[in-house]
């Protein structure tokens, strides 16, 4: 397992005061909160910060962690020394903010995976129907266009017979609803936690994210595609082939369009109700003057076209 | 490993799903009273305030979960979380407008 430098993760000095640690945590948590942040690795960072804070905010855990010494580097192969935390007594009642099962194996090795079943918002009623559960899944953009069936693997933690948490894995074949887009929730009735006795199981809610695609970008239900074109295709307004998630289409370029311009292919985005649009962003690619013929053509343009793209700059 | 070979149909919660007060609180593992507080604060709106039981548009589930996460993780109070949610939704809609507008700006 890899050593984790909690001070480095929080961006504080090893002798930082508890107040400094708290301030650093609040700032980072706001920056990387998955509901707020647009950073691509926000979720990973947020978990890391949560884990670091779990240790550093608690003077007992922090002192035990400090015992490991200063010679460790982040990412270094690590095994806790035998009996490293002897003489430390931990008093805290659990993890108020974080789901302990999400913490790294480094954290587990040091502080144990003390399973915490007290959820802050747990309904205290006598409803024996199974709980609703939530998970996130990543799908391909084509799945949202076609409504394909995907096999998803879910993991959850259950308390084993020895009272220790066990990770259980299950696979489900899910028909992805056509037109679903980023951040939406889909509901799978009866796939949550099992009910007690003859009561129904809860529902499973899945939050949708898209796997990165080599050339499509997704914004809401709109899809963006950067399309390389030649200068003459743009200048002359030629018809070019454009790949869309449902197949090739022919696109007539408006003559004289400049590079960087976005063209909208109406309702060719994700087929929601109403459907999104597909935006084609035109990018001019210049052929290089690497042959006598290419060089000659460029020189001919230079001689015959009185073209100054910098006239607006006064040069 | 538990493998279920059946194909399970899923529905998009934000499109056409309505949740009762009971279903919404269960989906977020909160007390119904807390949902009522969100309605009182003007953060959520039932489809018909006079109806009994209240029914909510599926979009409300996502909103409740964001409020919940912000309160838990950032320790902001309800008013602060509600303000953040409102601003996040505004950013999302502005982002979509930017994408659409850029298509109309010549030579951009």
């Amino acid at each position: 397992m890899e050593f984790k430098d909690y001070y480095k993760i929080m961006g504080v000095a090893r002798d930082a005061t508890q107040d400094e640690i708290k301030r650093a945590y609040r700032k980072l948590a706001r920056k990387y909160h998955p509901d707020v942040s647009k950073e691509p690795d926000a979720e990973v960072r947020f978990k890391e910060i949560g884990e670091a804070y779990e240790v550093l905010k608690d003077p007992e855990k922090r002192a035990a962690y400090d015992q490991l010494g200063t010679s460790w580097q982040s990412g270094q192969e690590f095994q806790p020394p035998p009996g490293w935390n002897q003489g430390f007594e931990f008093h805290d009642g659990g993890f108020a903010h974080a789901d302990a099962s999400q913490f790294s194996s480094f954290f587990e090795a040091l502080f144990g995976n003390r399973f915490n079943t007290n959820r802050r918002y747990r309904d205290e009623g006598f409803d024996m129907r199974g709980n609703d559960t939530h998970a996130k899944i990543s799908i391909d953009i084509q799945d949202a266009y076609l409504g394909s069936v995907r096999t998803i693997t879910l993991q959850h933690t259950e308390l084993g017979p020895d009272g220790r948490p066990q990770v259980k894995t299950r696979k489900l074949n899910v028909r992805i609803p056509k037109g679903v887009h980023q951040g939406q929730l889909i509901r799978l009735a009866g796939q949550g936690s099992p009910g007690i006795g003859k009561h129904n199981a809860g529902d499973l809610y899945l939050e949708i994210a898209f796997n990165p695609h080599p050339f499509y970008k997704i914004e809401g239900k709109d899809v963006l595609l950067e399309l390389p074109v030649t200068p003459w295709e743009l200048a002359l307004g030629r018809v070019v082939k454009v790949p869309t998630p449902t197949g090739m289409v022919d696109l007539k370029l408006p003559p004289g369009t400049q590079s960087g311009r976005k063209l909208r292919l109406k309702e060719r985005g994700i087929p929601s109700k109403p459907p999104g649009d597909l935006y084609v962003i035109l990018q001019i690619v210049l052929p290089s003057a690497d042959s006598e013929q290419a060089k000659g053509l460029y020189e001919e343009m230079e001689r015959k076209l009185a073209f100054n793209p910098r006239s607006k700059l006064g040069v | 490993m538990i493998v279920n070979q059946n194909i399970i149909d899923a529905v998009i919660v934000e499109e056409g799903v309505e949740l009762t007060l009971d279903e919404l609180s269960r989906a977020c593992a909160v007390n119904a009273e807390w949902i009522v507080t969100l309605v009182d604060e003007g953060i959520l709106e039932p489809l018909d305030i006079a109806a009994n039981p209240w029914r909510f548009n599926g979009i409300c589930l996502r909103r409740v979960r964001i409020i919940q996460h912000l309160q838990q993780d950032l320790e902001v109070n309800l008013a602060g979380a509600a303000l953040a949610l409102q601003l996040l939704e505004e950013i999302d809609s502005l982002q979509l407008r930017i994408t659409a507008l850029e298509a109309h700006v010549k030579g951009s």
Side-chain angles (χ1 to χ4, degrees):
Chain A
M1 110 197 43
E2 288 183 350
F3 180 80
K4 287 200 181 280
D5 187 339
Y6 289 140
Y7 290 101
K8 201 170 161 189
I9 289 168
M10 294 282 270
V12 294
R14 291 187 74 88
D15 60 355
T17 63
Q18 293 304 120
D19 278 347
E20 282 168 343
I21 289 169
K22 186 174 164 185
R23 274 201 297 275
Y25 171 72
R26 288 285 167 83
K27 230 166 139 176
L28 290 169
R30 279 196 299 271
K31 183 166 177 198
Y32 290 106
H33 194 280
D35 286 321
V36 177
S37 176
K38 301 283 176 212
E39 311 270 339
D41 60 345
E43 197 160 338
V44 177
R45 289 294 311 267
F46 187 72
K47 279 183 189 153
E48 227 177 33
I49 297 158
E51 179 179 319
Y53 188 54
E54 193 61 45
V55 175
L56 299 187
K57 76 169 180 197
D58 175 355
E60 288 177 347
K61 284 205 195 85
R62 186 180 174 191
Y65 176 77
D66 286 346
Q67 276 277 100
L68 295 172
T70 54
S71 55
W72 295 96
Q73 296 291 314
S74 245
Q76 195 178 343
E77 188 55 33
F78 173 83
Q79 286 298 329
W84 74 278
N85 62 355
Q86 267 176 20
F88 280 96
E89 205 177 331
F90 298 109
H91 288 100
D92 75 299
F95 310 107
H97 307 302
D99 177 0
S101 65
Q102 305 271 324
F103 287 162
S104 69
S105 46
F106 173 75
F107 180 94
E108 247 179 67
L110 295 187
F111 303 106
N113 186 353
R114 278 174 286 162
F115 198 63
N116 177 25
T117 49
N118 302 321
R119 283 212 210 124
R120 219 155 143 197
Y121 289 98
R122 172 63 51 86
D123 192 322
E124 301 285 320
F126 293 99
D127 187 357
M128 293 305 181
R129 181 186 181 272
N131 289 322
D132 290 350
T133 51
H134 289 257
K136 284 188 178 181
I137 59 164
S138 291
I139 60 169
D140 291 333
I141 175 171
Q142 279 86 355
D143 297 336
Y145 272 83
L146 303 170
S148 11
V149 174
R150 294 301 305 247
T151 303
I152 57 163
T153 307
L154 296 172
Q155 289 191 325
H156 65 282
T157 324
E158 268 179 28
L159 221 46
D162 57 352
R164 286 182 63 81
Q166 297 178 329
V167 177
K168 292 262 167 91
T169 305
R170 63 175 174 148
K171 279 185 194 257
L172 297 175
N173 297 315
V174 181
R175 194 187 313 278
I176 304 294
K178 195 174 157 176
V180 72
H181 51 88
Q182 179 87 26
Q184 281 190 321
L185 300 172
I186 60 173
R187 182 171 68 181
L188 283 66
Q191 296 296 330
S193 297
I196 293 172
K198 54 188 174 202
H199 289 270
N200 291 337
D203 296 336
L204 169 62
Y205 289 90
L206 297 175
E207 187 179 334
I208 299 291
F210 286 104
N211 295 321
H213 189 277
F215 42 87
Y216 298 119
K217 265 197 213 133
I218 300 172
E219 268 177 26
K221 50 190 176 181
D222 294 335
V223 178
L224 281 71
L225 167 71
E226 276 196 10
L227 185 75
V229 288
T230 62
W232 50 89
E233 281 170 342
L234 265 195
L236 304 173
R238 296 302 192 213
V239 173
V240 291
K241 292 230 176 287
V242 177
T244 75
T246 47
M248 288 290 171
V249 296
D250 288 324
L251 174 66
K252 168 98 173 68
L253 300 174
T257 311
Q258 293 295 344
S259 186
R261 170 83 196 271
K262 273 185 189 172
L263 298 177
R264 185 172 72 141
L265 303 191
K266 207 165 176 267
E267 300 190 351
R268 288 196 183 263
I270 291 177
S272 313
K273 292 168 204 159
D277 299 325
L278 176 69
Y279 290 97
V280 175
I281 306 156
L282 303 172
Q283 296 293 350
I284 286 191
V285 179
L286 291 179
S288 45
D290 56 0
S291 68
E292 279 310 308
Q293 194 191 15
K295 221 173 145 192
L297 287 168
Y298 275 121
E299 281 165 355
E300 194 179 342
M301 278 198 279
E302 188 183 32
R303 278 194 311 276
K304 296 187 179 167
L305 298 178
F307 178 55
N308 178 10
R310 293 176 293 279
S311 55
K312 275 187 191 158
L313 305 178
V315 285
Chain B
M1 168 95 65
I2 305 149
V3 181
N4 186 338
Q5 290 300 346
N6 300 330
I7 294 171
I8 302 156
D9 282 305
V11 290
I12 303 175
V13 175
E14 282 86 349
E15 287 168 20
V17 171
E18 289 180 11
L19 300 162
T20 62
L21 177 61
D22 189 38
E23 283 171 329
L24 182 60
S25 45
R26 203 161 46 211
C28 309
V30 296
N31 293 316
E33 289 80 46
W34 193 67
I35 303 283
V36 175
T37 312
L38 297 186
V39 173
D40 289 342
E41 290 284 324
I43 300 167
L44 291 185
E45 251 178 75
L47 291 164
D48 175 4
I49 195 109
N52 185 19
W54 279 346
R55 301 184 73 81
F56 295 87
N57 187 315
I59 293 164
C60 293
L61 173 53
R62 194 177 143 77
R63 308 189 80 206
V64 175
R65 297 215 357 121
I66 291 176
I67 295 273
Q68 236 180 328
H69 294 160
L70 292 174
Q71 283 207 289
Q72 263 175 309
D73 302 332
L74 303 181
E75 294 179 28
V76 285
N77 63 20
L78 192 54
L83 177 63
L85 174 69
Q86 188 187 325
L87 295 174
L88 286 170
E89 288 175 344
E90 270 179 47
I91 292 173
D92 281 347
S93 74
L94 287 173
Q95 193 60 52
L96 294 177
R97 283 182 61 193
I98 289 173
T99 308
L101 279 170
E102 277 175 352
H104 294 285
V105 178
K106 293 203 170 176
S108 65

